[in-house]
């Protein structure tokens, strides 16, 4: 289990391991908890025979530095394919990641940038058929508009094992018409 650490304003900061979360609890840096999932860590025994335990929430807000992560979303094929639900945005078919490619909507050879809003997931066949043309020139309209993920979507993209309460928290801030939580993707 990974714990979603928020800043004191409730913005996601990072995914942390249970041990890191336990340290924050022991240092009394946890300001509030969200979510319904929790894990209880058991420790040693005292002289009266009582075992120590610490219950950790799956979402914690901590005191400390507030970091703006809104512009720090790496454009990688792994995140791109997850953003596009492993669908070729030209033919609409779902593929395994090994059969997908990154297509530049405005080709790089024609000045297109390698940016979230200029790339789409494409199967190898469609990428080859489109070649160095725009979707309009190739007669291959996109099924969805490429978008730059916001900070909440970033946290969805980077973690494959999100708990239900963490997903509930994140999806409340997803871009309109995103349905990642309905598709059962890892």
């Amino acid at each position: 289990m990974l714990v979603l650490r928020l800043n004191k304003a409730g913005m996601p900061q990072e995914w942390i391991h249970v041990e890191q979360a336990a340290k924050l609890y022991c240092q009394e840096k946890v300001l509030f908890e969200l979510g319904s999932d929790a894990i209880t860590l058991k420790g040693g025994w005292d002289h009266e025979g009582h075992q120590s335990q610490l219950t950790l929430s799956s979402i914690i807000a901590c005191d400390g530095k507030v970091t703006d992560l809104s512009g720090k979303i790496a454009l990688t094929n792994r995140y791109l394919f997850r953003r596009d639900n492993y669908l070729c945005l030209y033919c609409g078919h779902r593929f395994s990641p090994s059969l997908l490619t990154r297509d530049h909507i405005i080709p790089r050879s024609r000045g297109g940038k390698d940016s979230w809003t200029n790339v789409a997931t494409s199967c190898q066949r469609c990428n080859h058929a489109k070649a160095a043309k725009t979707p309009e020139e190739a007669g291959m309209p996109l099924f969805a508009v490429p978008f730059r993920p916001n900070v909440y979507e970033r946290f969805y993209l980077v973690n494959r094992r999100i708990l239900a309460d963490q997903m509930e928290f994140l999806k409340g801030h997803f871009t309109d018409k995103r349905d990642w939580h309905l598709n059962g993707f890892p």
Side-chain angles (χ1 to χ4, degrees):
M1 171 177 130
L2 291 176
V3 174
L4 180 59
R5 185 179 72 81
L6 312 176
N7 64 24
K8 55 188 162 190
M11 294 290 295
Q13 296 296 291
E14 63 183 334
W15 291 105
I16 61 175
H17 292 280
V18 170
E19 296 81 9
Q20 294 168 286
K23 182 178 178 181
L24 291 168
Y25 273 90
C26 292
Q27 293 173 334
E28 298 183 356
K29 291 187 177 179
V30 176
L31 299 173
F32 60 91
E33 304 169 327
L34 296 174
S36 57
D37 288 332
I39 186 169
T40 300
L41 303 178
K42 303 222 182 229
W45 300 86
D46 66 15
H47 66 283
E48 295 177 0
H50 299 109
Q51 187 176 23
S52 65
Q53 62 181 27
L54 180 63
T55 301
L56 311 174
S57 179
S58 62
I59 305 170
I60 59 173
C62 298
D63 200 10
K65 183 179 172 187
V66 175
T67 306
D68 178 18
L69 297 173
S70 59
K72 298 179 181 177
I73 305 166
L75 175 55
T76 66
N77 283 351
R78 178 180 157 209
Y79 299 161
L80 173 66
F81 300 162
R82 283 196 76 185
R83 179 199 73 177
D84 294 344
N85 288 334
Y86 303 96
L87 294 173
C88 172
L89 292 190
Y90 295 105
C91 69
H93 292 101
R94 182 165 285 122
F95 294 89
S96 69
S98 63
L99 299 175
L100 293 171
T101 62
R102 180 188 308 190
D103 179 64
H104 292 83
I105 297 161
I106 298 172
R108 293 186 76 176
S109 62
R110 297 172 67 180
K113 297 186 184 207
D114 196 33
S115 67
W116 281 104
T117 55
N118 190 49
V119 293
T121 299
S122 174
C123 69
Q124 295 169 2
R125 186 181 68 76
C126 287
N127 198 339
H128 182 73
K130 181 179 164 285
K133 301 174 192 161
T134 65
E136 294 79 18
E137 292 168 345
M140 300 171 69
L142 290 164
F143 276 90
V145 177
F147 68 97
R148 177 184 182 82
N150 67 32
V151 68
Y152 297 90
E153 293 162 340
R154 173 191 183 274
F155 280 87
Y156 163 76
L157 293 173
V158 301
N159 187 0
R160 293 178 176 264
R161 299 169 71 191
I162 300 173
L163 300 176
D165 63 340
Q166 294 167 335
M167 189 62 177
E168 189 68 29
F169 172 78
L170 293 172
K171 79 177 183 179
H173 303 281
F174 284 174
T175 304
D176 289 345
K177 299 181 181 143
R178 285 295 130 213
D179 60 356
W180 290 322
H181 59 285
L182 300 176
N183 291 326
F185 287 100

